Amino acid sequence: MIQVATYSGGVSSSVLARGPSTGTGPAPLRLGALTVDPAVVLAPMAGITNPAFRTLCREFGAGLYVCEMITTRALVERNEKTLQMVRATPDEEDAFSVQLYGVDPATVGRAVEMLVDEGVAGTRPAHIDLNFGCPVPKVTRKGGGSALPWRRVLFRRIVRAAVAAAGDVPVTVKTRIGIDADHVTYLDAGRIAQDEGAAAVTLHGRTADQLYSGTADWTPIARLVEAVDIPVLGNGDVWEADDALRLVAETGCAGVVIGRGCLGRPWLFGDLAAAFAGETRRALPTLREVAAVMLRHAELLSEDQGELHGCTDFRKHVAWYLKGFSVGSDVRRSLAMVSSLDELAELLAGIPDQPYPVAVLGGPRGRTGPPRPVALPEGWLADRDDPRPPAGAELMVSGG
């Protein structure tokens, strides 16, 4: 059955109901005074979830849209790039969300104080998330990200410092199943986060050594739901709105966190809002409609960064938007080298319209690759109760 939906972003898209959905979504997510309805959160992604992309996603559907990961040391040092990254958009004044990375409780606490008490971001955040899920080597080799929950005393002190400094701003925790199959941490991490006053915990259904390979295991998400009383959000392999419904139904999680699934598909948030409301419509935009979204994305980046930098930043999104469409290699190369909005508009206008390539639905997007051993500080696994931050572990550059 063909339907027509008009999204808040102004893009009128043909939509196709691809069979009935398996139920409705969870109740609105409550994080302190903040209500997230529907219970959908955009995961921080380095170089992706900047103000322009957050605005674009919000134009398609409601939810909570988190900025790129910010390192606490860089924020405390008032690194210029970091201060630029931790900016709210005009429509985020009541729901500005920041994710922080850090390995030292004192530094994390100071960074939270700066955000909450000093207004260093220009807008007081409505929500702060702590990153204990990043699996990339530059983070884990310093004991951060998904390596840190193994040191449970240090983990506890970091969460405690953040919650104490945040006051009435809700603090949440994002983590993975563990370092690898022999070093599982998610149950301890969830219970500690709850004990220390975290408002919710997000669990990605992979270990750190899996990176983004294979298939996410949602069973630990269900186990964590049973183990704690605070809301648990599920993350991992939500490529379509019906995946989100299935994740909620199978695990009992209180909401979903969307990462790679929205790359080149910001209208996924409209699909999620519809699915959580019990509606069966799903967006299948034509190439002409996708081109309109691409141009809107580039315009937002240009407004924020200047036209040349904005168009340069947009280049990495081209392949995601055009995935599955029949577009010649010469045109793709030209789009991936675009330097102005007029050039982008002209190239897009020259591509014949075509229906959405349904064959790509449900498939992975973004980073993939084989599993590999996790880079860790020397002796990191020896003592789970060692409270000391690893020497020289703080990163000065945000993102990751």
Side-chain angles (χ1 to χ4, degrees):
M1 180 176 65
I2 301 293
Q3 304 176 7
V4 175
T6 301
Y7 293 97
S8 59
V11 180
S12 177
S13 177
S14 300
V15 295
L16 175 66
R18 296 183 287 110
S21 300
T22 56
T24 57
L29 175 67
R30 302 195 183 280
L31 304 174
L34 179 65
T35 299
V36 183
D37 184 15
V40 174
V41 179
L42 170 66
M45 290 179 281
I48 303 294
T49 56
N50 49 33
F53 189 70
R54 300 198 306 271
T55 297
L56 183 66
C57 292
R58 186 175 289 104
E59 289 177 347
F60 281 96
L64 185 64
Y65 297 91
V66 188
C67 76
E68 298 176 72
M69 185 181 80
I70 304 298
T71 63
T72 52
R73 176 63 180 273
L75 185 60
V76 169
E77 296 284 345
R78 300 183 185 271
N79 177 277
E80 184 176 348
K81 177 183 176 183
T82 301
L83 294 177
Q84 286 296 312
M85 291 171 66
V86 67
R87 289 178 295 117
T89 64
D91 54 359
E92 289 178 322
E93 291 183 358
D94 297 326
F96 183 44
S97 179
V98 179
Q99 188 185 72
L100 298 177
Y101 157 88
V103 298
D104 177 68
T107 304
V108 171
R110 176 58 184 142
V112 173
E113 286 177 357
M114 290 174 63
L115 290 171
V116 173
D117 297 335
E118 297 180 20
V120 69
T123 300
R124 189 173 189 259
H127 164 247
I128 293 173
D129 187 52
L130 300 178
N131 183 302
F132 299 107
C134 183
V136 301
K138 75 173 184 179
V139 170
T140 60
R141 72 165 51 100
K142 295 179 178 295
S146 52
L148 201 142
W150 180 257
R151 292 286 182 92
R152 54 194 170 195
V153 174
L154 178 59
F155 175 82
R156 181 184 295 276
R157 292 183 178 182
I158 290 174
V159 177
R160 179 182 297 166
V163 171
D168 62 348
V169 175
V171 174
T172 60
V173 166
K174 184 179 181 185
T175 189
R176 285 194 170 219
I177 295 171
I179 294 174
D180 53 37
D182 296 323
H183 302 89
V184 172
T185 57
Y186 73 97
L187 287 174
D188 280 347
R191 292 179 180 123
I192 291 170
Q194 174 175 273
D195 291 346
E196 295 303 329
V201 58
T202 296
L203 181 59
H204 182 113
R206 288 180 173 87
T207 52
D209 68 328
Q210 290 179 289
L211 297 174
Y212 298 93
S213 66
T215 302
D217 182 2
W218 293 347
T219 302
I221 299 172
R223 290 176 180 158
L224 186 58
V225 169
E226 295 175 352
V228 299
D229 296 322
I230 59 175
V232 174
L233 306 181
N235 177 226
D237 292 3
V238 179
W239 310 115
E240 306 294 338
D242 289 331
D243 294 330
L245 292 176
R246 185 165 56 88
L247 174 57
V248 171
E250 291 182 7
T251 68
C253 64
V256 297
V257 176
I258 306 298
R260 295 174 296 153
C262 68
L263 296 176
R265 295 180 67 223
W267 53 86
L268 177 59
F269 291 99
D271 283 356
L272 288 160
F276 278 23
E279 301 174 12
T280 58
R281 63 184 178 89
R282 304 289 183 265
L284 291 175
T286 66
L287 181 54
R288 191 175 307 282
E289 291 168 330
V290 171
V293 178
M294 294 173 71
L295 191 57
R296 171 65 174 158
H297 191 170
E299 288 171 346
L300 288 168
L301 286 167
S302 297
E303 290 173 9
D304 190 52
Q305 304 176 21
E307 187 168 356
L308 177 58
H309 287 155
C311 289
T312 301
D313 193 7
F314 176 74
R315 295 172 183 174
K316 62 174 169 280
H317 296 272
V318 169
W320 293 324
Y321 276 113
L322 297 182
K323 184 174 182 178
F325 283 108
S326 179
V327 179
S329 58
D330 289 346
V331 176
R332 287 178 181 268
R333 277 195 297 270
S334 296
L335 285 167
M337 298 174 64
V338 71
S339 298
S340 73
L341 293 173
D342 286 344
E343 182 185 2
L344 175 62
E346 182 178 356
L347 286 167
L348 291 172
I351 306 173
D353 198 17
Q354 54 192 274
Y356 195 83
V358 294
V360 305
L361 294 175
R365 290 173 170 265
R367 291 174 290 184
T368 56
R372 63 183 178 190
V374 181
L376 298 169
E378 184 176 357
W380 186 251
L381 300 176
D383 184 1
R384 291 204 67 186
D385 295 320
D386 187 340
R388 298 171 297 173
E394 292 284 5
L395 298 174
M396 273 297 295
V397 179
S398 292

